[in-house]
Structures are given as structure tokens and as C-alpha cells.
């Protein structure tokens, strides 16, 4: 087959978006047409679209050998090096592309992603900003991708004020972007500016009617605003698995007992392992005198574990690090006379926090191994893809953090950095139970863990189903400094 004939054939397939058929020609083209850049470009692009990144990389490396000045070769290689995990090479090629083309939006965007992957958040944000500044109305899809990544990294670092101001500016430039309207709505919602948030959510849904995540966030905002009927309808009709759990919770909160119990029974068979439902099932088993049959963790108190894990020097280093950086604070309705950081401490470029993270990850591994033979859902179906999130809480004298749990965490824990010395075991302790300030208050099955007791020292870490059992930090006599830890799943679990 002649080169022109082969080129015409695969060009036709590419125009018809029949990329898999082109990928099927990989070996044949590799053997017979490795000197034809036009054919290789189409093959490389098809491989990348079908996510055969290593093969695509080899093709574009060959193109560079044939013609180092080939248009877009630097950005194509930079992007593929990133997708193949070769981040230093990615950064090298993308910077070369930018040096020759200062207005290449995609180059800045991919460079931001590469820096983000190696943990250099400052350079990542810098390049996101440059990409955002260069965005035009001509490529809405690219604008959505860049702005979504930009908002996410700002929020991850707790820079919510900056994200809010950027969002207000960007929504004027891109009023028809579902992503920008949605992300800005989330920022209004966290500020309890629900009317503004609801309007933005609804506009985002008008633009992208099939986005279930936007509908879910709208439902949560409506719920917070007291618009229960509309919220319940959105949750009931949602295709998002997470919506099912909040639908069941809302049935419970609104007193629809029969509907609630029916949905809960169905969830026991068809929607296993959700921490929110696990909590409601346990709670309602006491309220309605019913057996708790929901599969997650049958005896949560049994799986609370306490250990000495952090050396004194690291505790002191953590406190110094926290004092030295400008942590953004978040609105926390459950917190009395205290402050809580926003974002994820482990996203900050800090050797101190990196060391703490490594220790916690090892402890989580030990925790899992310790209970591996317990025949519990949360141990048997431990997620493969996870994320570790952390925040800082400082409770002043007389302060407290009310009952709460982490429905999006698999397990959670607390590292105590500094605690008050008092004779009363309750002062500054952590209290576990099945109570919930959001439900009708019931006193039952509560335990206290004293941070100063031998079993729970100041440098201790408690781990367990804090994502399931309610925990409360009681009023301390003096200041209490803790680091919260949330170990979340990223896989497709309920």
C-alpha cells in the first residue's frame, strides 16, 4: 500500500472519529510507515484519544526525531510525558513550548497539571493563572477544564477567598460556562449565601442539564435553605449514588418513617458500605427499637484504636509550621470558641506535614491489617483508590466542636498536638457516641477518651470509624490543638 493511499484511509477514519480502527493499525504502520509524519501524527493522536499513552509517546518521539521543528511537537510530548508519569520531562518540554509561544493556553494548563502532580502547588497556581488570563470565548471546553482545575487547587489549599474573587470575575467573562457557575455557586453556598448559590446552580443546570454533581450540590444547598420539598425531589430522581444516601437521610429527618424504613431495607441489599446510611441505620435502631442490619461496621466502638505515633520533636515542628503559615479559616457551625483551617494541610509544600502524613499512612495500614480478619464490610471492601485529607483545629478555653461524623471518609482520626492539663477527664477529651446534633438528641452508648491518659497521650492518634460514629471535642480548660485526619475513598464506592 502506498503512503498516500494509507494516509487517505486513516485520515478518513479520523474524521469519522473511528479512532479504535486506527489504533488497530499500530503494528502495521510501525512496520511500514515510520518515516511518514502525516500518518504518524494521525496514529499518535488516535492512540492518545484512546488512552494508549505509552504507545502515543513513542510515536511522537519518532516524529520529533524526524522533524524537531514539527508544529505542536513540544506540547504534544509535554502532555504525553505527564500522562505517562514522566513529570520532569513534561515540565522541560512544556517550558520549551512556552519559550517559543508565550500565548499557548494549553501549554500553561498542562504545565500547571504537571507541577500539581509533583506537589509544587505554587508554580501550579501560577500557571493556572496564566492560562486563565489567556482564555478566550472560542474554546468553551478548554475554559471549563482549566477553570475547574484552577478552582479545585485553590480550594484544596484553602484559598477560598481567592477562589471566590476569581469566580466572580470569571463568570462575567464566561457567563455560559456550567463549570464556572457551578464552582462559584459552591463558594457562595459555603458562605451561607444560599439565594445567590441557588441561582448559579440553576443556571449551571440550564447549561448542562445532565450534570448530576451540580444537581446534587443544588439539592444540598436547597436543604440548607429549608427548601426540603425541592431538595427531596432532586435527590430522589438523581442518578448519582451519593444522592441515594442523602435522600434516605432526608426522609428520616422529615419524619417519613415508613418511606425511610422501606428505603433503608432496600439499601441493606443494594447500597452497601455508605457511611451516612450506616450511621442512620445505627441511630434509628435505637430510636425505633429495630435491628441494625446495614453492612458497614457492626460494632463501631470496637474499632476505635489509640496509639503513640508522633515524636515530641515533630509535634513541636507541626505547631511551629502552623504558626508560621497563613492558614485560611473556614466557616464551621459546629465549632464554639475556636478556629478550623480550610483546605488540605497535606497539599501544602511542607516537609513537616509530609513527615506527619507518612506516619499517618503507616498507621492506617497497621489499622487495616489489625482488623483484616474481622469480617466487616469496611475492612473486607477497603477501597483501592484513596485520598488523605487533613485540617487543623484550635479550641480556646471553653471551646468545643459539636457532634459530627465524616460521611465521605472511610476511616478518620485525630492527632493531638497540645492538650490542657486538667483533673476532669472530660475537659479536652474526645467523646464518641451515636448522638447527632442534626437529629433528635438521644443519650446512649457514649465513651470518653482522655488525651492525657496513658492510653491516649498528647502525641496519640485515634483511628477508627469516626466517619461513622459521632465524635465531639469537649470543652477544654485551656487551649487544645489537634490535627484532624480523613482517609477517603476515590474509587466507585457508595
Amino acid at each position: 500500500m502506498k503512503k498516500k493511499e494509507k494516509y487517505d484511509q486513516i485520515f478518513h477514519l479520523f474524521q469519522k472519529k473511528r479512532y479504535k480502527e486506527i489504533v488497530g493499525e499500530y503494528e502495521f504502520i510501525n512496520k511500514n510507515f515510520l518515516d511518514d509524519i502525516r500518518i504518524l501524527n494521525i496514529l499518535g493522536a488516535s492512540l492518545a484519544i484512546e488512552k494508549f499513552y505509552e504507545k502515543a509517546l513513542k510515536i511522537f518521539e519518532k516524529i520529533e526525531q524526524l522533524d524537531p521543528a514539527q508544529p505542536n511537537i513540544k506540547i504534544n510530548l509535554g502532555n504525553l510525558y505527564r500522562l505517562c508519569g514522566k513529570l520532569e520531562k513534561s515540565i522541560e518540554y512544556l517550558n520549551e513550548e512556552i519559550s517559543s509561544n508565550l500565548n499557548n493556553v494549553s501549554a500553561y494548563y498542562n504545565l500547571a497539571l504537571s507541577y500539581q502532580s509533583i506537589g509544587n502547588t505554587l508554580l501550579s497556581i501560577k500557571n493556572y493563572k496564566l492560562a486563565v488570563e489567556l482564555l478566550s470565548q472560542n474554546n468553551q471546553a478548554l475554559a471549563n477544564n482549566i477553570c475547574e482545575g484552577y478552582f479545585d487547587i485553590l480550594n484544596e489549599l484553602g484559598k477560598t477567598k481567592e477562589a471566590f474573587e476569581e469566580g466572580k470575575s470569571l463568570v462575567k467573562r464566561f457567563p455560559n460556562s456550567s463549570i464556572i457557575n457551578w464552582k462559584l455557586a459552591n463558594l457562595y453556598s459555603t458562605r451561607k449565601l444560599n439565594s445567590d448559590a441557588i441561582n448559579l446552580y440553576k443556571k449551571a443546570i440550564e447549561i448542562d442539564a445532565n450534570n448530576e454533581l451540580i444537581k446534587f450540590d443544588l439539592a444540598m444547598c436547597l436543604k440548607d435553605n429549608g427548601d426540603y420539598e425541592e431538595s427531596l425531589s432532586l435527590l430522589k430522581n438523581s442518578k448519582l449514588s451519593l444522592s441515594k444516601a442523602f435522600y434516605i437521610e432526608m426522609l428520616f429527618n422529615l419524619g417519613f418513617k415508613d418511606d425511610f424504613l422501606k428505603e433503608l431495607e432496600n439499601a441493606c441489599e443494594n447500597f452497601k458500605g455508605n457511611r451516612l446510611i450506616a450511621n442512620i441505620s445505627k441511630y434509628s435502631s435505637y430510636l425505633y427499637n429495630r435491628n441494625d442490619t446495614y453492612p458497614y461496621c457492626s460494632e463501631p466502638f470496637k474499632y476505635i484504636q489509640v496509639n503513640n505515633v508522633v515524636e515530641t520533636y515533630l509535634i513541636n515542628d507541626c505547631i511551629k509550621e502552623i504558626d508560621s503559615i497563613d492558614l485560611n479559616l473556614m466557616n464551621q457551625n459546629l465549632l464554639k470558641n475556636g478556629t478550623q483551617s480550610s483546605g488540605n494541610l497535606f497539599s501544602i509544600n511542607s516537609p513537616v506535614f509530609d513527615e506527619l502524613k507518612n506516619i499517618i499512612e503507616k498507621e492506617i495500614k497497621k489499622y487495616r491489617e489489625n482488623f483484616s480478619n474481622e469480617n466487616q464490610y469496611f475492612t473486607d471492601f477497603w477501597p483501592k483508590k484513596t485520598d488523605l485529607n487533613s485540617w487543623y483545629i484550635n479550641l480556646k478555653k471553653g471551646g468545643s466542636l459539636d457532634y459530627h461524623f465524616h460521611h465521605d471518609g472511610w476511616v478518620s482520626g485525630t492527632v493531638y498536638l497540645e492538650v490542657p492539663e486538667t483533673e476532669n477527664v472530660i475537659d479536652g477529651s474526645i467523646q464518641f457516641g451515636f448522638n447527632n446534633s442534626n437529629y433528635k438528641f438521644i443519650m446512649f452508648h457514649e465513651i470518653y477518651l482522655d488525651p492525657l491518659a496513658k492510653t491516649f497521650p498528647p502525641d496519640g492518634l485515634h483511628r477508627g470509624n469516626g466517619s461513622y460514629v459521632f465524635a465531639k471535642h469537649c470543652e477544654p480548660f485551656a487551649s487544645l490543638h489537634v490535627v484532624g485526619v480523613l482517609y477517603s475513598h476515590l474509587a466507585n464506592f457508595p
Side-chain angles (χ1 to χ4, degrees):
M1 180 179 289
K2 294 181 180 180
K3 290 180 181 179
K4 184 180 185 307
E5 185 180 352
K6 189 62 183 177
Y7 171 77
D8 290 341
Q9 178 196 24
I10 64 171
F11 181 72
H12 174 75
L13 292 173
F14 194 84
Q15 285 185 313
K16 297 293 184 181
K17 298 183 179 181
R18 291 157 64 177
Y19 309 118
K20 289 183 179 179
E21 293 179 50
I22 299 173
V23 169
E25 298 277 346
Y26 176 76
E27 296 296 339
F28 182 78
I29 293 174
N30 232 349
K31 185 176 180 180
N32 298 287
F33 298 101
L34 266 185
D35 60 345
D36 192 303
I37 290 179
R38 297 184 308 163
I39 293 174
L40 293 180
N41 264 316
I42 294 174
L43 175 60
S46 300
L47 287 164
I49 291 169
E50 292 297 320
K51 299 184 179 180
F52 292 100
Y53 299 130
E54 292 286 351
K55 288 184 177 180
L57 179 58
K58 290 179 181 179
I59 294 299
F60 280 105
E61 285 177 334
K62 181 61 180 177
I63 292 173
E64 186 188 30
Q65 290 175 11
L66 295 171
D67 180 11
Q70 179 72 198
N72 298 317
I73 189 62
K74 298 297 183 184
I75 190 169
N76 286 336
L77 282 169
N79 194 22
L80 284 167
Y81 280 126
R82 177 181 64 81
L83 293 168
C84 292
K86 300 176 181 180
L87 299 173
E88 295 299 333
K89 291 283 286 184
S90 172
I91 290 168
E92 175 190 340
Y93 271 79
L94 291 168
N95 275 317
E96 286 183 20
E97 171 67 23
I98 289 169
S99 67
S100 62
N101 184 358
L102 293 175
N103 295 318
N104 193 323
V105 179
S106 295
Y108 289 111
Y109 173 46
N110 282 287
L111 192 55
L113 293 172
S114 292
Y115 278 125
Q116 190 172 355
S117 295
I118 65 172
N120 194 329
T121 52
L122 292 178
L123 284 178
S124 179
I125 288 175
K126 176 184 175 181
N127 282 280
Y128 268 120
K129 283 184 177 180
L130 291 168
V132 166
E133 289 171 5
L134 292 169
L135 278 173
S136 70
Q137 296 283 351
N138 298 330
N139 195 332
Q140 189 71 60
L142 182 62
N144 281 342
N145 289 338
I146 292 173
C147 291
E148 183 169 20
Y150 186 34
F151 280 123
D152 287 349
I153 192 171
L154 288 175
N155 286 322
E156 179 78 1
L157 292 171
K159 297 180 179 292
T160 53
K161 292 180 181 179
E162 185 176 343
F164 188 53
E165 294 305 317
E166 289 280 14
K168 289 190 290 185
S169 173
L170 284 167
V171 80
K172 294 176 182 177
R173 289 174 57 193
F174 301 95
N176 294 319
S177 167
S178 61
I179 296 298
I180 295 172
N181 278 280
W182 171 29
K183 295 297 182 177
L184 182 57
N186 286 342
L187 291 163
Y188 272 109
S189 180
T190 58
R191 287 164 170 73
K192 301 300 179 183
L193 301 171
N194 290 334
S195 295
D196 293 312
I198 289 168
N199 289 335
L200 286 165
Y201 283 131
K202 290 185 175 180
K203 183 173 181 181
I205 291 170
E206 287 178 9
I207 300 166
D208 185 1
N210 296 318
N211 193 316
E212 295 294 330
L213 289 172
I214 302 177
K215 293 177 184 177
F216 173 78
D217 286 343
L218 171 59
M220 292 296 97
C221 188
L222 288 166
K223 174 188 172 186
D224 187 57
N225 202 46
D227 300 325
Y228 301 121
E229 185 175 345
E230 188 176 355
S231 177
L232 193 66
S233 176
L234 278 169
L235 293 172
K236 182 178 181 179
N237 296 316
S238 173
K239 298 174 183 176
L240 194 68
S241 61
L242 185 61
S243 298
K244 182 74 171 179
F246 283 92
Y247 174 65
I248 293 173
E249 184 200 38
M250 187 170 284
L251 289 174
F252 175 77
N253 282 335
L254 294 177
F256 300 141
K257 180 179 176 181
D258 292 341
D259 290 336
F260 162 71
L261 291 176
K262 180 181 177 181
E263 291 290 342
L264 181 58
E265 182 180 359
N266 178 267
C268 288
E269 292 295 326
N270 302 311
F271 194 57
K272 301 176 182 179
N274 182 276
R275 278 71 64 211
L276 178 57
I277 299 179
N279 168 259
I280 300 172
S281 181
K282 178 65 70 176
Y283 185 88
S284 64
S285 70
Y286 289 93
L287 185 64
Y288 299 141
N289 193 27
R290 50 171 287 274
N291 291 329
D292 175 24
T293 59
Y294 188 76
Y296 186 68
C297 178
S298 59
E299 301 176 72
F301 287 157
K302 178 181 176 181
Y303 299 96
I304 297 172
Q305 195 172 61
V306 181
N307 280 319
N308 287 315
V309 297
V310 185
E311 298 287 344
T312 303
Y313 81 88
L314 185 56
I315 291 176
N316 294 331
D317 287 348
C318 283
I319 294 174
K320 290 178 182 177
E321 187 79 349
I322 288 167
D323 289 340
S324 69
I325 57 181
D326 183 22
L327 282 177
N328 287 272
L329 304 179
M330 65 174 291
N331 294 323
Q332 172 56 279
N333 294 332
L334 301 172
L335 195 59
K336 171 188 173 185
N337 197 19
T339 56
Q340 178 174 333
S341 66
S342 61
N344 185 357
L345 289 180
F346 293 150
S347 293
I348 298 172
N349 294 325
S350 166
V352 173
F353 293 151
D354 288 345
E355 185 176 355
L356 179 62
K357 181 181 179 181
N358 289 335
I359 290 171
I360 292 170
E361 286 176 336
K362 290 177 182 177
E363 287 299 310
I364 292 172
K365 183 179 179 182
K366 290 179 186 176
Y367 176 86
R368 181 186 179 186
E369 292 171 350
N370 189 41
F371 296 115
S372 60
N373 297 319
E374 290 290 321
N375 194 30
Q376 296 290 319
Y377 187 95
F378 86 99
T379 55
D380 292 345
F381 294 92
W382 197 275
K384 293 180 180 179
K385 294 183 180 180
T386 58
D387 183 42
L388 191 60
N389 191 36
S390 180
W391 58 95
Y392 167 71
I393 294 174
N394 180 6
L395 294 180
K396 302 296 184 181
K397 181 179 179 180
S400 65
L401 181 62
D402 210 348
Y403 290 104
H404 66 285
F405 76 112
H406 308 124
H407 65 80
D408 52 348
W410 202 255
V411 293
S412 60
T414 302
V415 178
Y416 280 78
L417 301 179
E418 187 176 10
V419 295
E421 296 186 18
T422 67
E423 295 182 359
N424 189 341
V425 67
I426 295 179
D427 286 344
S429 68
I430 186 168
Q431 178 183 7
F432 291 97
F434 301 125
N435 290 321
N436 182 350
S437 56
N438 297 323
Y439 306 155
K440 184 178 179 181
F441 200 82
I442 300 174
M443 292 298 294
F444 54 74
H445 290 282
E446 295 191 319
I447 61 173
Y448 293 88
L449 292 179
D450 179 8
L452 291 180
K454 291 181 180 179
T455 57
F456 201 100
D459 57 349
L461 167 72
H462 89 262
R463 292 159 299 149
N465 285 309
S467 48
Y468 168 20
V469 181
F470 284 99
K472 173 182 179 180
H473 287 288
C474 303
E475 295 188 6
F477 178 75
S479 290
L480 174 70
H481 301 268
V482 301
V483 171
V485 180
L486 184 64
Y487 183 73
S488 304
H489 66 84
L490 296 179
N492 188 26
F493 278 80

